[in-house]
Amino acid sequence: MINLFDSFMLGGSVQLKNRIVMAPMTRTRASEGDVPNDLMATYYAQRASGGLLVTEATDVAPSSNGYALTPGIYTEAQRAGWRKVTEQVHRAAGTIFLQLWHVGRMAHPSLMPDGQAPLGVSDERAEATVFAHGPDGRLGHVPAGAPRALHTHEIAELVTTFAQACAHARDAGFDGVEIHGANEYLFDQFMNSVLNTRTDRYGGGSVANRTRFLMEVVEAAVRELGPGRVGVRLSPFGTFNAMPTDPLAVETLIHVAEQLGRRGVAYLHLVYELMPEGNMETAEFKASHIDHAVLAEVRTKFSGAIIWCGGFNGRDSTQRALDTGLVDLIAFGRPYIANPDLAERLRHGWPLVEADPSVYYTRRGEGGYTDFPVYSTPDDDARAA
């Protein structure tokens, strides 16, 4: 029987000490210039007992920035900041992948170069909010801007941009990268058969066209980093960020799984969390689990590891998911916010702390970020007295 605390060889080249994954979570803590900082290095190092840490979504270019205070990887200052993070994580014997994203239409002109329109699969605007500068110049949740559809030649340029980001990630000391293809950001916008109304080779008329952009980026990433160091995250049934329900979601998922397997992708990270009305700070979170028959088909098509993320908050539910034999690793998001020692708490059955949602995206220094303590037993407290 697979145990949550068994070691795991990821992609044939990355050894994980257990099957616990820290899911990517935007925390809006980057410094001016979207530069990772010492506080972020402390945050990730505190959580290095997990088998794999996946960073918050990171911008590959100025045009990919949809949320203020999120980090980038495209400037030397940003890369230097990330080196601090990877050095501390590795010093704590951790393994860390950098999540790369482009938000597409989920952006606002105040965050775009020269105030330009966001870039999307089409010119259809998302009926959703982003964290950006409002009319008064203050940061807050504002409606996403009206996008401009990417020209065909610009998509090829973005493939090169992602390849460069992979090289930058390697130079910053990361063990690999995760391509963010979930949650209605740019890759997801292309893959959605309702939203993608393009008529070029990336158009929505066929599943091969809808997924072409993702596959081209994956191929470039694998060439840059090697087949065992690239993962992909998908949310095939998600409707977050005003994503229309896709009647071809299963067809697309199965196709993507097969194609990623052929391209040497180390893992497929599947997230099944639906977030209804409200912005990220106020929404109620609800977990939704994929039909096991669909997951079993994904398993037959994809030769790499499968990570399951969505609503896991304890050892029992996690172990039951592993016992299905359909997944290899379990990812935790919000439980990692207030439990930096989550792996140890799960191993020993220690209670978990639940963070107040008000601290998820605060910009208050270490408060609600690095000030959550590790669990202490009564014996620990007695020795400290």
Side-chain angles (χ1 to χ4, degrees):
M1 179 185 296
I2 297 173
N3 187 285
L4 183 63
F5 304 100
D6 289 342
S7 61
F8 185 80
M9 179 62 73
L10 181 65
S13 59
V14 181
Q15 182 70 48
L16 307 182
K17 54 194 168 189
N18 55 54
R19 295 169 183 258
I20 298 169
V21 177
M22 177 178 165
M25 292 180 288
T26 294
R27 301 299 306 277
T28 60
R29 295 287 184 149
S31 297
E32 184 177 354
D34 298 333
V35 173
N37 50 49
D38 292 340
L39 198 62
M40 291 170 61
T42 298
Y43 168 78
Y44 284 107
Q46 287 175 338
R47 290 152 178 79
S49 59
L52 174 65
L53 309 184
V54 184
T55 73
E56 59 214 276
T58 299
D59 295 313
V60 298
S63 69
S64 74
N65 185 6
Y67 296 86
L69 305 178
T70 55
I73 190 68
Y74 53 89
T75 72
E76 178 51 43
Q78 292 165 353
R79 295 189 286 278
W82 278 123
R83 286 187 198 104
K84 295 179 182 179
V85 174
T86 59
E87 287 170 0
Q88 285 208 34
V89 168
H90 291 152
R91 197 173 296 127
T95 301
I96 185 167
F97 275 36
L98 179 69
Q99 191 189 63
L100 301 175
W101 75 344
H102 193 298
V103 300
R105 69 176 187 167
M106 284 301 301
H108 187 269
S110 68
L111 297 175
M112 295 291 99
D114 302 319
Q116 299 173 6
L119 303 175
V121 65
S122 69
D123 59 4
E124 184 175 340
R125 186 174 190 160
E127 297 298 325
T129 62
V130 298
F131 185 64
H133 298 280
D136 59 359
R138 300 180 63 180
L139 285 172
H141 290 278
V142 299
R148 172 180 69 79
L150 280 158
H151 300 301
T152 303
H153 73 87
E154 291 177 309
I155 299 172
E157 292 168 1
L158 278 178
V159 174
T160 299
T161 297
F162 271 91
Q164 292 171 337
C166 290
H168 294 330
R170 181 188 58 237
D171 295 344
F174 284 98
D175 300 295
V177 303
E178 177 176 285
I179 307 300
H180 194 348
N183 299 126
E184 210 274 342
Y185 300 117
L186 188 57
F187 292 108
D188 209 12
Q189 293 164 27
F190 271 83
M191 288 187 286
N192 187 283
S193 67
V194 177
L195 189 60
N196 185 343
T197 56
R198 302 176 68 92
T199 57
D200 62 3
R201 63 196 300 265
Y202 299 96
S206 72
V207 65
N209 281 2
R210 294 197 307 275
T211 59
R212 190 184 307 278
F213 177 36
L214 174 62
M215 296 308 157
E216 289 179 351
V217 167
V218 166
E219 289 169 358
V222 171
R223 283 195 301 268
E224 192 66 48
L225 298 175
R229 298 183 181 274
V230 177
V232 175
R233 194 178 208 224
L234 302 175
S235 57
F237 306 103
T239 56
F240 181 49
N241 282 336
M243 176 62 81
T245 300
D246 188 351
L248 301 181
V250 173
E251 172 192 339
T252 302
L253 173 62
I254 300 304
H255 175 82
V256 169
E258 182 176 18
Q259 294 301 313
L260 293 180
R262 292 178 179 179
R263 288 163 171 80
V265 167
Y267 68 80
L268 183 55
H269 186 173
L270 299 176
V271 57
Y272 301 103
E273 283 191 326
L274 308 179
M275 286 176 275
E277 296 299 320
N279 60 53
M280 290 188 297
E281 291 180 339
T282 63
E284 291 294 325
F285 292 82
K286 175 184 177 183
S288 174
H289 296 288
I290 189 172
D291 182 273
H292 279 199
V294 175
L295 190 54
E297 189 170 359
V298 170
R299 188 67 147 173
T300 65
K301 300 293 186 183
F302 181 68
S303 56
I306 296 179
I307 301 174
W308 194 347
C309 180
F312 294 104
N313 58 9
R315 182 170 178 171
D316 291 344
S317 62
T318 303
Q319 189 60 54
R320 284 195 299 272
L322 290 175
D323 289 344
T324 66
L326 299 176
V327 297
D328 302 288
L329 304 112
I330 302 295
F332 296 84
R334 291 180 303 282
Y336 252 120
I337 292 177
N339 301 279
D341 56 338
L342 180 65
E344 288 82 2
R345 289 178 186 247
L346 294 174
R347 182 188 296 273
H348 297 289
W350 295 335
L352 301 184
V353 177
E354 185 173 346
D356 188 297
S358 66
V359 308
Y360 289 176
Y361 305 99
T362 56
R363 278 70 62 187
R364 297 195 304 246
E366 67 175 17
Y369 191 57
T370 58
D371 61 339
F372 291 104
V374 299
Y375 182 76
S376 59
T377 66
D379 288 343
D380 294 331
D381 295 336
R383 282 191 292 270

